[in-house]
Amino acid sequence: MKFFHLSDLHIGKHLHLYNLAEDQRYILAQIVEKAKEYRPDAIVIAGDIYDKSVPSGEAYQLFDGFLNSLADITPAIPVFLIAGNHDSQERLQYASSFLERHKIYIAAKPPQEEEEHLKKVTLTDSYGEVDFYLFPFIKPGYVRHLFPQDELTNYEQVYEKMLEREAIDVSRRNVLIAHQFFVNQGQKPQVCDSEQMNINVGGLDSIDIRVISDFDYVAAGHIHGPQSLGNGRVRYCGTPLKYSVSEEHHNKSITLVTLKEKGQEPAIETIPLTALHDVRRIKGKLEELLEKKEDTFREDYISVILTDEKELYRPKDVLSEVYPHILEITVDNSRTRNIYAGLQGENMDAEKGMEKLQSPIEAFREFYQLMQQQPLSESEETVIAEILDEMGGEAE
């Protein structure tokens, strides 16, 4: 069985001040053409369909056009998609029962009642059946009420409990579609600037891959750089487009997964995707960069590093005549390096002085000790850290 693994479309995203709708339309059309060419048995989209929980009308239309184009392919290719941390569960769930008639299966909300379970869709190939489990993004607070007898304090415990209640038959071939921050014995995946703010400091949201080790393949979303964890059965496919300058050297692609008989390792291939506009850094003196105006990358999204020693008058205005999609301009010369070196020294002293400044959890520890005349227990501190995390998530 062959299927496409995609994630983190982030439809509606802007790169600095640039609307990426045209770029996203171009890349989604490319994915449709690859689906026609490779004819996968299914297409998996592992969360963060939209960039915001309240997408714009333009974003809705873009994704609607993408689904319609996929639905026009004959014979029909089932599409499995889940909600990520950027998606609104309610909005993504809308019309899901109707879409299922067209083999578009959506899991936006985790089970909420005792009798509810993860959405499971079974496909068949020459080796037999494959069960796809659609597990949308969760925080412990979303599902803790399902386990009233257990003291569950972190993501990993909750995730493990959720999978246990499914009573998954591990003798069958099983695929998990997930959108979480998975780690391998404490080793974290490589992250970029574009998703850094969604990763909790302290590893509160980390889930070790031992929890999902019984699956024959885990189609993971949440991390923007393509990479595998552990034995390779857990894979982040990455975004189809570059969503920050830190992704400059990423090779964006579709992950093509081939499952064979039970017990064999899945075969992983990547199908390259070509962006309408690339994202890149260029560095040099102003005149040198202007002389490169005939280069093929002039229409790309550009981060500029200027090395001129002399003061420049409105360099962005001059450069914009050659490079119309400038993201940012920074200066790297002896003057700025001296300033930076001086700031480093100041920051070192400032950091010593800032040791007295408290984080929210530190402030709560001190308050609790003052009021209760005893320190927070480990489990209490975990709960408070989780509450602070959820408050931060809502603020985003």
Side-chain angles (χ1 to χ4, degrees):
M1 177 164 301
K2 295 186 177 182
F3 58 90
F4 280 4
H5 172 194
L6 301 162
S7 78
D8 296 85
L9 305 182
H10 286 284
I11 297 174
K13 187 172 181 64
H14 285 63
L15 181 58
H16 290 233
L17 298 178
Y18 295 102
N19 185 339
L20 294 179
E22 183 183 5
D23 300 80
Q24 292 179 326
R25 186 176 292 109
Y26 181 87
I27 212 72
L28 293 175
Q30 201 173 138
I31 292 169
V32 172
E33 291 306 309
K34 296 298 183 184
K36 293 177 181 177
E37 178 183 350
Y38 285 82
R39 297 285 173 172
D41 297 298
I43 296 173
V44 167
I45 309 176
D48 279 359
I49 310 302
Y50 297 107
D51 190 55
K52 297 185 181 301
S53 59
V54 184
S56 65
E58 181 181 48
Y60 276 123
Q61 290 177 353
L62 247 176
F63 189 54
D64 180 67
F66 177 55
L67 290 182
N68 274 305
S69 296
L70 291 177
D72 286 342
I73 299 174
T74 53
I77 301 174
V79 178
F80 306 139
L81 63 95
I82 63 170
N85 57 299
H86 279 251
D87 297 310
S88 162
Q89 296 178 350
E90 291 74 16
R91 288 178 172 83
L92 200 60
Q93 191 76 28
Y94 179 73
S96 59
S97 57
F98 171 78
L99 291 171
E100 228 170 86
R101 300 178 197 171
H102 300 274
K103 295 191 175 183
I104 298 171
Y105 301 89
I106 300 175
K109 295 182 178 181
Q112 293 298 297
E113 304 295 336
E114 184 60 36
E115 65 275 9
E116 292 180 350
H117 289 272
L118 296 177
K119 184 182 288 292
K120 182 179 76 171
V121 184
T122 302
L123 300 181
T124 305
D125 65 5
S126 58
Y127 294 106
E129 294 182 328
V130 178
D131 294 330
F132 288 81
Y133 288 87
L134 283 64
F135 198 158
F137 174 77
I138 63 164
K139 293 183 176 183
Y142 293 178
V143 294
R144 191 183 285 116
H145 63 278
L146 295 174
F147 312 100
Q149 305 305 317
D150 298 295
E151 186 178 349
L152 303 177
T153 59
N154 59 46
Y155 282 66
E156 184 173 305
Q157 292 172 345
V158 170
Y159 213 79
E160 190 167 21
K161 282 288 185 181
M162 288 294 291
L163 291 176
E164 284 176 0
R165 73 192 293 274
E166 296 300 317
I168 295 169
D169 184 353
V170 297
S171 69
R172 295 166 63 85
R173 289 179 296 164
N174 299 300
V175 174
L176 178 66
I177 306 170
H179 191 96
Q180 302 289 158
F181 187 58
F182 296 111
V183 300
N184 179 23
Q185 297 180 347
Q187 183 177 352
K188 300 177 181 179
Q190 295 179 346
V191 299
C192 312
D193 293 346
S194 47
E195 81 263 36
Q196 189 75 258
M197 68 180 64
N198 298 311
I199 308 301
N200 287 325
V201 176
L204 183 65
D205 55 353
S206 300
I207 300 171
D208 194 90
I209 60 173
R210 67 163 186 82
V211 173
I212 51 177
S213 61
D214 286 334
F215 286 92
D216 297 274
Y217 183 78
V218 178
H222 198 34
I223 302 301
H224 290 190
Q227 58 197 287
S228 296
L229 298 179
N231 60 11
R233 292 188 180 187
V234 180
R235 181 169 175 82
Y236 289 106
C237 62
T239 56
L241 283 172
K242 298 176 183 179
Y243 288 136
S244 71
V245 179
S246 64
E247 299 175 45
E248 175 189 10
H249 299 299
H250 285 188
N251 295 315
K252 299 301 185 180
S253 62
I254 300 167
T255 294
L256 175 62
V257 183
T258 302
L259 285 184
K260 299 179 182 178
E261 61 185 326
K262 181 72 178 181
Q264 291 193 15
E265 293 300 313
I268 307 296
E269 303 173 57
T270 54
I271 303 170
L273 293 171
T274 305
L276 181 61
H277 304 101
D278 205 348
V279 176
R280 67 177 71 244
R281 289 184 177 94
I282 59 173
K283 183 175 182 178
K285 294 182 178 180
L286 180 61
E287 288 188 8
E288 295 171 348
L289 299 181
L290 293 174
E291 288 173 0
K292 293 181 179 180
K293 62 183 179 181
E294 299 303 324
D295 287 356
T296 55
F297 61 76
R298 61 178 298 190
E299 293 292 329
D300 291 344
Y301 296 110
I302 304 292
S303 172
V304 181
I305 303 173
L306 292 172
T307 59
D308 298 78
E309 290 293 338
K310 64 180 181 180
E311 290 286 344
L312 300 172
Y313 178 71
R314 305 184 71 172
K316 186 173 182 180
D317 291 349
V318 179
L319 285 165
S320 293
E321 295 179 8
V322 176
Y323 305 104
H325 302 123
I326 293 178
L327 301 173
E328 59 190 0
I329 296 179
T330 57
V331 177
D332 179 17
N333 57 25
S334 58
R335 179 176 57 85
T336 58
R337 284 192 292 273
N338 287 335
I339 292 173
Y340 177 69
L343 287 175
Q344 275 191 312
E346 290 177 14
N347 286 341
M348 288 174 66
D349 292 335
E351 286 171 4
K352 292 177 183 177
M354 287 177 63
E355 287 177 359
K356 296 180 180 179
L357 297 178
Q358 296 175 313
S359 67
I361 188 67
E362 289 170 337
F364 192 85
R365 272 194 216 112
E366 188 174 309
F367 173 76
Y368 188 89
Q369 176 72 45
L370 180 65
M371 300 301 295
Q372 302 295 328
Q373 299 301 307
Q374 64 180 21
L376 278 169
S377 69
E378 184 176 343
S379 60
E380 289 170 335
E381 183 160 326
T382 302
V383 171
I384 295 302
E386 183 186 319
I387 292 170
L388 292 170
D389 165 59
E390 291 184 2
M391 291 172 62
E394 291 174 0
E396 288 172 9

